[in-house]
Amino acid sequence: MSDDFPPLSLNVPEPGCRPGDTPDFSDFEIPRAGAVKRPPVDVEPDEIREMAFSIVRVLNKDGEAVGDWAGALTPEELREGLRHMLTLRAFDARMLIAQRQGKTSFYMQHLGEEAISCAFATALQPGDMNFPTYRQAGLLIAGGYPMLTMMNQIYSNAEDPLHGRQLPIMYSSKEHGFFSISGNLGTQFVQSVGWAMASAISGDTKIATGWIGDGSTAESDFHSAMVFASTYDAPVVLNIVNNQWAISTFQGIARGGVGTFAARGHGFGIASIRVDGNDYLAVHAVAKWAAERARRGYGPTLIEHVTYRAGGHSTSDDPSAYRDKNEAAAWPLGDPIERLKKHLITIGEWSEERHKQAEAEVMDTVIATQKKAEAIGTLGDGQAPSPRDMFEGVYETMPPHLIRQRQEAGY
Amino acid sequence: MATEILMPALSPTMEEGTLAKWLVKEGDTVNSGDIMAEIETDKATMEFEAVDEGIVGKILIAEGTEGVKVNTPIAVLVEEGESADDYQASGGASSDDSAPAEAPASDAPAAAAPEKATAQPAKVLEPDYPEGTEMVQTTVREAIRDAMAEEMRRDENVFLMGEEVAEYQGAYKVSQGLLDEFGSKRVIDTPITEHGFAGIATGAAFGGLRPIVEFMTFNFAMQAIDQIINSAAKTLYMSGGQMGAPMVFRGPNGAAARVGAQHSQDYAAWYMQIPGLKVAMPYSAADAKGLMKTAIRDNNPVIFLENEILYGRAFDVPKLDDYTVPFGKARIWREGSDVTIVSFGIGMQYALEAADKLAEDGVSAEVIDLRTLRPMDLPTVMESVKKTNRLVTVEEGWPQGSVGSYIASEVQREVFDYLDAPVMVCTGKDVPMPYAANLERHALITTDEVIEAVKQVTYR
């Protein structure tokens, strides 16, 4: 009987489009805006299984906010959100150029993904803790963290709040609910669940959010996080940012041939929702729903933010080597800033002129702040952190051998 | 005023690149953010954007030029009404002006280091190849790739897996061309889980294949270490010799430049401790090639520790159809009589630089490259110490439990009577690697510290 079996072969998933091919997202199913109903926050995960296969969308193609998830934000709040996204985009543009000028060694931009972290930030409360990856600086920008401090860290100058010890863009601010970013992928997804469980054990009302990319869901940490969040109903919102590409590896390599990333939650009995990551209103509404669910003790939510990384992975990446240059433009969910702008104009709360003016103001602020930071110093120029700082913080109290090494170094 | 546009450094370790294409021509007006040119390095192609506004007055480096050093002026921007001749006229004066502009780049250790290794052994003592063999200048990156390709041609059970190894040709472009030659069945892009793919590869090795696992850096292999040590290294022993893991775990190890605490650790001392593993940590391209071929053929799991800064360095590599270097045989790079300096991997750079400078002061240092840490060629070290009576070890890793402390312990036990001074162990500082350039320099071992150690043991 064994003679009847043909030889086995290995399946290696391939993306739909490589450089030179015509980008084609026609297989990508996009439900109408407003089609997905908003369930009560105490819903049983079993009752919303289909939400892991659909996409929560609020803004339709005419720029109107429709359906159950609309109406969470006032026009003033929406204009504020637009300004946060414009600021993040301008900040990225200037810092990218600064890296090319050698003022810092490394940078990662958010192009196309601005809505996710900016809209999420305003759904949280002071004291909540984010465990972000490297593409959620909108949590800081929208959370009021000083831009000058961010730049000082990027330039690793004497005013760097982390004293020259940590990589640029790997921000850290306990006060602003932004846990120190880890360069090692996935580690913080499971830590966010631990932080949330600690909040529950302490009888507090704070919640945690974990963040991970599509590629890193392959890491063991992702699966461990889901087990603990599920078993203990941890007050945590677990976010997967599916931006289609993990450097050169397309999302199908981590996901496999079938299902969605959100559907990974079903096996754990976790409420799982997909949301249009380029729709500021949808991200905010879903974030608010999940945050309330966690804070009221109804358990964790897994959110898959469906988006597209329009820029390179980092300043060390060249996307044209592995994906077609026209793919970003063909991405069917559009640009988050353009979509929110269109909505505000449609409801009579914004105009092309005001938008131009806002863009210019934001850029002026970024450039003025950049000048202040550069007056202090940039990587290799100006005032640098003191070598004294190098020996601090290894332990809470400096042990004698480090005091000796510091003295030998002349500090 | 005319502004020089300088060749940009697209990554901290970039030293030179090809100016592939100009997207502007002389006379064009450019605005901040406009794409001016495409620059190629051995890692990637990048678009280069204008920083300032202006008119392209003169293009100084033609497109297609290879080997353009970082910070070389490549074009001149002028303001309206100026001409490029103004730049020519002020050209003499601007050579002074450009000095401060170049200062930041000199902070990068990689930029300051020559691309071609200055220190080739004057004569290779006991070479691993026949006398008269033709030598070809090859980078460490190419040498490792060539070794893998040769072994994959030789044995169809050998395959490469890891993140970004196929389509992207490796995060550090070490697997260049391998996907084209061997196809996606033997050059496999994996999901992002070191723990996962180290386990998969260990299973494949148990299943009769000979995997090469690339870690984007050994820092990421910490989550795979259970598979490496508890399974790959110990299964042959635990299965009564029935099943082993003939495989290679390879990738960059140690500090590169500006990659901070989580991406700069040297794992030499960690892996060297494990029975069941073999550990290679080459310095030169010839050794990288010869040791990699030996590693792939070895029936035991081999940890192959590479270095990002060394990838771009060129060395003489013997032109042979099948060049291998045996494990457990150190190479004496330089003979000397006053002190023995033992190192491995990028530590050899400090050892050789120190030996050069010491020679100027009349100190004759013998420099030994261990090449493999397990097995370790201690007899060569002992013989040298019997001659010089003094020993200094050099590595980038941390002091407590270092490779050097093991060597010191063995040497004092075996040849105590020959020692005229305590063994000095030079290591990095006992802190996680800081990011800032000035702090990073302090944290790593330096050539001056090696010289200072030699002066202490020679009582100078």
Side-chain angles (χ1 to χ4, degrees):
Chain A
M1 171 168 173
S2 62
D3 295 345
D4 299 339
F5 294 117
L8 292 162
S9 66
L10 185 70
N11 172 52
V12 182
E14 265 295 315
C17 171
R18 286 289 187 194
D21 299 341
T22 306
D24 178 9
F25 288 104
S26 58
D27 286 352
F28 178 54
E29 279 181 45
I30 305 169
R32 267 183 314 106
V36 179
K37 298 275 173 256
R38 183 182 188 277
V41 293
D42 61 350
V43 70
E44 287 299 323
D46 265 1
E47 294 168 32
I48 57 164
R49 286 176 69 87
E50 76 290 348
M51 289 183 79
F53 300 101
S54 192
I55 301 178
V56 174
R57 305 180 69 230
V58 171
L59 292 174
N60 69 16
K61 61 179 185 304
D62 298 324
E64 297 155 339
V66 295
D68 285 358
W69 297 88
L73 293 162
T74 65
E76 186 49 42
E77 287 168 332
L78 289 172
R79 278 192 295 268
E80 189 65 18
L82 184 63
R83 185 173 282 268
H84 291 151
M85 292 199 286
L86 287 172
T87 303
L88 182 54
R89 190 166 287 186
F91 183 85
D92 278 346
R94 294 300 298 185
M95 290 298 101
L96 210 52
I97 295 174
Q99 188 273 341
R100 295 290 188 243
Q101 291 171 295
K103 291 172 184 169
T104 182
S105 65
F106 182 75
Y107 193 73
M108 299 177 94
Q109 59 169 333
H110 302 72
L111 192 64
E113 299 178 39
E114 292 89 347
I116 297 167
S117 54
C118 289
F120 205 97
T122 51
L124 296 174
Q125 289 186 5
D128 292 345
M129 182 59 85
N130 289 285
F131 287 77
T133 80
Y134 36 67
R135 234 182 292 278
Q136 279 89 46
L139 294 169
L140 289 173
I141 298 255
Y145 187 69
M147 188 190 293
L148 179 61
T149 312
M150 294 169 78
M151 287 179 174
N152 286 338
Q153 185 187 338
I154 289 168
Y155 289 150
S156 205
N157 64 25
E159 299 292 321
D160 171 0
L162 310 183
H163 312 287
R165 295 182 199 144
Q166 178 63 302
L167 289 170
I169 76 144
M170 301 237 176
Y171 313 104
S172 178
S173 172
K174 191 174 178 183
E175 186 193 340
H176 288 81
F178 197 93
F179 202 88
S180 190
I181 298 180
S182 168
N184 295 42
L185 300 178
T187 56
Q188 299 195 307
F189 207 62
V190 66
Q191 292 161 11
S192 72
V193 178
W195 196 99
M197 286 170 67
S199 177
I201 290 166
S202 319
D204 210 329
T205 57
K206 298 186 184 87
I207 64 166
T209 77
W211 295 83
I212 202 164
D214 45 280
S216 304
T217 60
E219 299 271 20
S220 321
D221 310 71
F222 172 78
H223 301 272
S224 311
M226 299 290 281
V227 169
F228 281 81
S230 157
T231 301
Y232 298 101
D233 264 349
V236 64
V237 182
L238 295 168
N239 296 278
I240 303 168
V241 179
N242 175 6
N243 68 8
Q244 313 301 318
W245 289 96
I247 311 188
S248 77
T249 305
F250 89 110
Q251 44 90 16
I253 292 281
R255 180 176 52 80
V258 290
T260 64
F261 287 104
R264 296 271 199 262
H266 288 164
F268 298 93
I270 292 177
S272 304
I273 302 181
R274 280 174 106 206
V275 61
D276 179 345
N278 291 19
D279 180 340
Y280 184 93
L281 285 80
V283 171
H284 180 82
V286 169
K288 219 168 163 180
W289 184 91
E292 191 187 341
R293 179 178 171 83
R295 208 181 306 278
R296 292 197 182 284
Y298 298 131
T301 306
L302 179 68
I303 303 175
E304 176 186 346
H305 302 262
V306 182
T307 184
Y308 187 88
R309 191 192 79 212
H313 168 73
S314 72
T315 46
S316 308
D317 177 35
D318 167 24
S320 70
Y322 52 83
R323 68 183 194 191
D324 194 79
K325 282 192 166 172
N326 299 315
E327 201 181 87
W331 173 245
L333 295 178
D335 178 82
I337 291 180
E338 287 303 312
R339 286 175 67 189
L340 181 54
K341 170 188 157 193
K342 185 172 179 179
H343 172 61
L344 279 165
I345 292 174
T346 303
I347 60 171
E349 293 286 346
W350 199 238
S351 67
E352 288 290 351
E353 296 71 47
R354 288 179 75 181
H355 191 80
K356 273 207 186 72
Q357 197 190 340
E359 275 183 323
E361 282 169 14
V362 158
M363 187 53 93
D364 284 350
T365 306
V366 173
I367 291 174
T369 310
Q370 187 179 8
K371 284 189 175 144
K372 275 188 210 161
E374 291 182 3
I376 301 164
T378 60
L379 179 70
D381 199 16
Q383 300 169 54
S386 164
R388 197 183 163 84
D389 282 334
M390 186 176 99
F391 299 95
E392 308 269 359
V394 182
Y395 296 97
E396 207 176 5
T397 310
M398 195 183 290
H401 79 280
L402 282 183
I403 296 173
R404 199 164 53 242
Q405 282 196 6
R406 192 187 73 197
Q407 285 166 349
E408 279 167 12
Y411 299 92
Chain B
M1 206 190 107
T3 316
E4 284 180 346
I5 308 278
L6 305 179
M7 182 74 170
L10 303 175
S11 69
T13 49
M14 173 174 164
E15 292 163 19
E16 60 177 40
T18 299
L19 210 166
K21 195 173 175 191
W22 278 108
L23 300 169
V24 294
K25 55 185 188 305
E26 289 178 7
D28 283 1
T29 301
V30 294
N31 288 308
S32 170
D34 287 356
I35 297 165
M36 295 190 72
E38 283 179 10
I39 311 267
E40 278 176 20
T41 68
D42 45 10
K43 280 184 178 176
T45 304
M46 297 279 182
E47 288 172 339
F48 171 49
E49 294 143 355
V51 176
D52 304 302
E53 301 182 340
I55 298 161
V56 181
K58 198 166 183 63
I59 285 176
L60 303 172
I61 305 280
E63 68 179 27
T65 308
E66 292 178 11
V68 182
K69 298 270 183 242
V70 165
N71 283 339
T72 309
I74 56 174
V76 178
L77 275 193
V78 295
E79 287 174 17
E80 202 149 341
E82 285 182 326
S83 80
D85 298 339
D86 298 338
Y87 164 72
Q88 294 291 6
S90 65
S94 78
S95 64
D96 282 339
D97 297 344
S98 69
E102 283 174 14
S106 67
D107 274 347
E115 183 67 9
K116 294 221 163 90
T118 46
Q120 297 280 352
K123 123 181 122 73
V124 175
L125 307 151
E126 297 181 62
D128 309 296
Y129 44 84
E131 209 166 319
T133 300
E134 187 191 336
M135 292 296 190
V136 182
Q137 280 274 307
T138 309
T139 62
V140 172
R141 172 183 285 117
E142 292 161 346
I144 295 168
R145 189 267 320 270
D146 292 349
M148 291 193 290
E150 286 176 24
E151 292 306 299
M152 287 174 79
R153 282 175 211 131
R154 186 176 166 272
D155 180 352
E156 63 176 22
N157 286 328
V158 178
F159 71 99
L160 173 68
M161 68 191 294
E163 292 152 2
E164 313 280 335
V165 297
E167 284 295 332
Y168 204 61
Q169 321 267 322
Y172 296 103
K173 294 289 173 273
V174 175
S175 50
Q176 199 120 35
L178 296 184
L179 176 65
D180 283 348
E181 182 174 351
F182 300 104
S184 61
K185 204 175 129 191
R186 294 182 67 195
V187 183
I188 301 171
D189 277 332
T190 65
I192 305 170
T193 165
E194 282 75 13
H195 179 240
F197 65 75
I200 295 291
T202 304
F206 292 159
L209 299 184
R210 306 184 79 87
I212 306 169
V213 176
E214 174 176 309
F215 293 119
M216 199 177 282
T217 109
F218 263 92
N219 294 274
F220 302 161
M222 273 208 274
Q223 57 153 280
I225 209 162
D226 184 55
Q227 288 290 345
I228 298 172
I229 293 176
N230 263 330
S231 296
K234 296 179 186 171
T235 296
L236 183 71
Y237 184 77
M238 296 187 301
S239 68
Q242 297 179 84
M243 288 166 288
M247 63 195 303
V248 178
F249 297 99
R250 54 154 289 267
N253 168 64
R258 301 318 98 67
V259 291
Q262 292 177 315
H263 295 170
S264 301
Q265 191 169 334
D266 175 7
Y267 290 90
W270 283 37
Y271 288 113
M272 180 190 82
Q273 231 249 331
I274 310 300
L277 290 180
K278 296 189 178 181
V279 181
M281 189 157 163
Y283 168 59
S284 76
D287 288 343
K289 183 175 183 186
L291 290 170
M292 176 58 79
K293 285 167 68 80
T294 302
I296 294 169
R297 289 180 202 182
D298 201 292
N299 282 334
N300 301 284
V302 178
I303 302 289
F304 202 88
L305 302 170
E306 301 161 13
N307 184 284
E308 189 189 333
I309 290 174
L310 292 178
Y311 279 147
R313 302 278 171 85
F315 294 80
D316 278 344
V317 174
K319 192 177 176 185
L320 291 172
D321 289 342
D322 191 15
Y323 172 64
T324 58
V325 170
F327 279 12
K329 192 162 171 293
R331 163 172 285 175
I332 300 171
W333 275 73
R334 181 181 178 121
E335 283 183 303
S337 52
D338 296 334
V339 60
T340 301
I341 305 179
V342 174
S343 191
F344 48 90
I346 195 163
M348 284 298 294
Q349 179 179 305
Y350 309 107
L352 290 167
E353 277 174 15
D356 279 346
K357 288 190 181 160
L358 287 162
E360 291 167 16
D361 294 341
V363 179
S364 163
E366 180 145 304
V367 182
I368 298 175
D369 178 359
L370 289 173
R371 304 200 290 190
T372 60
L373 301 175
R374 183 182 267 267
M376 187 185 284
D377 186 2
L378 284 170
T380 295
V381 177
M382 306 285 182
E383 284 312 306
S384 178
V385 171
K386 283 183 188 170
K387 181 173 72 174
T388 64
N389 313 112
R390 293 164 168 91
L391 176 62
V392 172
T393 68
V394 183
E395 67 198 286
E396 280 194 342
W398 288 313
Q400 191 164 345
S402 62
V403 177
S405 55
Y406 170 69
I407 297 171
S409 137
E410 292 296 297
V411 165
Q412 63 83 25
R413 187 163 55 84
E414 294 281 328
V415 292
F416 184 77
D417 291 342
Y418 290 89
L419 284 171
D420 286 348
V423 177
M424 292 293 289
V425 176
C426 297
T427 65
K429 310 297 176 293
D430 199 20
V431 299
M433 181 64 71
Y435 164 78
N438 63 320
L439 304 190
E440 190 179 57
R441 266 199 312 279
H442 278 286
L444 288 168
I445 181 75
T446 63
T447 300
D448 286 344
E449 285 165 357
V450 177
I451 292 170
E452 185 52 37
V454 168
K455 287 188 171 163
Q456 281 190 44
V457 298
T458 52
Y459 304 112
R460 280 165 196 260

